[in-house]
Amino acid sequence: MAIKNIRLNIHVPGVEGLQAPIAFTSVATDGDSFRIPYRYPFVDVVHYNLLKDAGVFRHSTKTVSTNLGSNTTNTEGGLGLQLPRTEKLILLVKRSVNEDSDLTISGNTRTGKKDVKIELLAGGTATYFSVESSATAGEVKLTSVSGATATIAEGDKFIYDGVTYTALEDGTASDSAIASLEVSPAFPSGVSTPVAIPAIDVFPNHSALNEIDLYDLGFFVGGYEDEKGVIITTEENSVELALIARF
């Protein structure tokens, strides 16, 4: 099992040029792990040179203290950037493939925090459709679905008239139509003319960008010898993670 550091994106409010596109990190093989190290090797900091030029880092090069690992990627640096507390960290998740996957976040043994498993569900295959009121109050009828037998998965979302609706059940089209699908909030009655929902307003589970709130889950990034930060193991290598620290 390989362990790869999640590259660290640092956002400093009001510092021009540092709000660059967020860099995501992936692993090569199913079952590999990501790490959030207690001390980040400077080589694993995204846009390091921009940050240094802006004065966030005072040293002259990321090769500082090479004997302590600050220039060695995918390590827990003996001397590196110590992260702020988890309430200032944002952990984002996205997927490149439509499949179920689990993430297991390692607990903190010294504090009794147990491992946490997060389920990432596959989405449906429908990419666009039209909606109208169903014969069942509060449910939605889908027509002109993108495939004759395309699917909607529980948790998939779409936007209609400025409101985001979430499917509460799975549905499979028959001749490009689903007669009734339970959604939340309840779909309005009286929509008798089909309204097209383009692909830009359809959000299957797998296409969503999700945040894992480490602080809310009770995690902190510890520097204990037997932990070396937080380890996140992925069931599928289609999962990509991004870590943002707000300074």
Side-chain angles (χ1 to χ4, degrees), residues 13-34:
V15 179
E16 186 177 355
L18 294 184
Q19 317 313 320
I22 296 169
F24 279 78
T25 301
S26 59
V27 293
T29 306
D30 296 352
D32 281 355
S33 295
F34 300 91

Side-chain angles (χ1 to χ4, degrees), residues 12-50:
V12 182
V15 179
E16 186 177 355
L18 294 184
Q19 317 313 320
I22 296 169
F24 279 78
T25 301
S26 59
V27 293
T29 306
D30 296 352
D32 281 355
S33 295
F34 300 91
R35 171 168 40 209
I36 303 175
Y38 178 63
R39 291 187 177 88
Y40 252 93
F42 294 110
V43 72
D44 285 332
V45 176
V46 179
H47 307 306
Y48 169 85
N49 289 329
L50 283 175

Side-chain angles (χ1 to χ4, degrees), residues 101-121:
S101 184
D102 291 340
L103 289 177
T104 301
I105 307 176
S106 63
N108 300 114
T109 56
R110 301 290 181 93
T111 61
K113 177 65 181 178
K114 297 184 181 300
D115 292 355
V116 170
K117 179 176 284 189
I118 296 176
E119 294 183 347
L120 303 173
L121 299 177

